[in-house]
Amino acid sequence: GPAEPLGADYTSRFPKTDSGVRVHVEAKAAVSASRSELLILLEDVQSPESVTCTVQVDGQTTDVTSSDSESGWGASVLVRPEHWVFFRAALPIGEHNVQVDLLSSNALPRVSCWLWGSRPGDVTPSTYPNALPQPESVSLKSQPLFESSAPPSAEAEPIHVEPPMERINGVFLDTLDPVVSEQGYGTLQKNRSVWEKPMIISGQHYMRGLGTHAPARIVYDLAGQYSRFQAWAGADAATTPTVTFEVRTDGVSRWKSNLMQRGDAAQRVDVDITGAKSLELIVGDGGNGIGADHADWADARLLR
């Protein structure tokens, strides 16, 4: 891969490295539970910095969410006792052909994969005095697709693969400097949240983009060079925001989100900016004050 993971017109999760591990799984999955997920866990002896996981169900790529040991809360003076990344993908009822492809730049991971069925919990409130709250979901059963795979031996025959890399005809917005940057708390962050943590929207991690805080106004000089602005807008998962997003070109509103809160899926932004001289990214506080209003313009890019 390239020497640097993030370039003006490319993104690579695997900057130049000597080795890594690829895990490829093909399986037939029979799902009878109304709610079922495919779970993939990668554990390592060190921080798994560069990991990608794609899942295909019946030949179609499906959405994958993730969580990891590095982005959760922890006392800053303590060494984390474990390192892991957890991937999840929903599976519908029926029989399916499932493919999992996982790449890790670390050479000593342990990987396991299984299906997990659950059902909604009983939402009927109990009339029994001092009754405990009912569970939101009830676990039914799990079925391993394969148990933890041992790390490969040093004698294993290596193969050469092309690392996944996205290249665009344009520039990623984090490589440009805005002419105006105003926000209600902190300073504009590139490729991390305003709290200087990984950018996470509803369980989805993003390598790059802008992390800001409502109310925010970020302005870029386009000089009429670009045709489209694209991004994923959402409330950052590190706090409990209530925010709105708006895109303006040359002072004219071109796109608005609805009210977004923690846990809401990111909203896709795809705006025609042909000939526009300026781009404004606006974040509102949702009308209830600016407390905890961390907002992300994830994977933001300008296309020619």
Side-chain angles (χ1 to χ4, degrees), residues 45 47 68-83:
V45 296
S47 174
D68 62 71
S69 56
E70 313 308 306
S71 59
W73 183 89
S76 59
V77 297
L78 299 180
V79 177
R80 292 184 182 272
E82 55 187 22
H83 303 282

Side-chain angles (χ1 to χ4, degrees), residues 20 152-160:
S153 67
E155 294 77 24
E157 183 69 23
I159 61 173
H160 297 278

Side-chain angles (χ1 to χ4, degrees), residues 35-140:
R35 182 186 297 170
S36 183
E37 289 182 302
L38 180 70
L39 308 179
I40 305 106
L41 175 65
L42 179 145
E43 303 167 277
D44 211 320
V45 296
Q46 59 182 326
S47 174
E49 296 179 355
S50 297
V51 183
T52 63
C53 182
T54 58
V55 174
Q56 287 193 342
V57 179
D58 299 327
Q60 299 295 317
T61 301
T62 189
D63 291 335
V64 176
T65 60
S66 65
S67 57
D68 62 71
S69 56
E70 313 308 306
S71 59
W73 183 89
S76 59
V77 297
L78 299 180
V79 177
R80 292 184 182 272
E82 55 187 22
H83 303 282
W84 49 264
V85 183
F86 212 155
F87 298 97
R88 305 169 66 160
L91 286 179
I93 292 177
E95 295 187 0
H96 306 282
N97 294 314
V98 177
Q99 290 190 15
V100 177
D101 212 350
L102 183 145
L103 286 170
S104 172
S105 62
N106 293 354
L108 295 174
R110 299 181 67 90
V111 181
S112 54
C113 182
W114 64 96
L115 297 176
W116 176 39
S118 64
R119 66 170 176 81
D122 186 1
V123 296
T124 304
S126 174
T127 57
Y128 188 81
N130 300 320
L132 295 174
Q134 294 298 315
E136 295 181 358
S137 63
V138 178
S139 179
L140 299 176

Side-chain angles (χ1 to χ4, degrees), residues 1 7 28 138 172 208 237 281 298:
K28 290 186 179 295
V138 178
F172 287 95
R208 63 194 316 174
L281 305 180

Side-chain angles (χ1 to χ4, degrees), residues 201-251:
I201 303 174
S202 186
Q204 183 69 49
H205 288 231
Y206 295 90
M207 283 189 68
R208 63 194 316 174
L210 305 177
T212 186
H213 194 291
R217 178 174 176 261
I218 310 165
V219 183
Y220 290 87
D221 183 5
L222 302 183
Q225 299 182 48
Y226 303 100
S227 64
R228 302 202 76 79
F229 168 68
Q230 296 177 341
W232 291 96
D236 191 84
T239 60
T240 55
T242 52
V243 289
T244 59
F245 295 83
E246 182 181 1
V247 177
R248 299 174 185 171
T249 58
D250 298 335

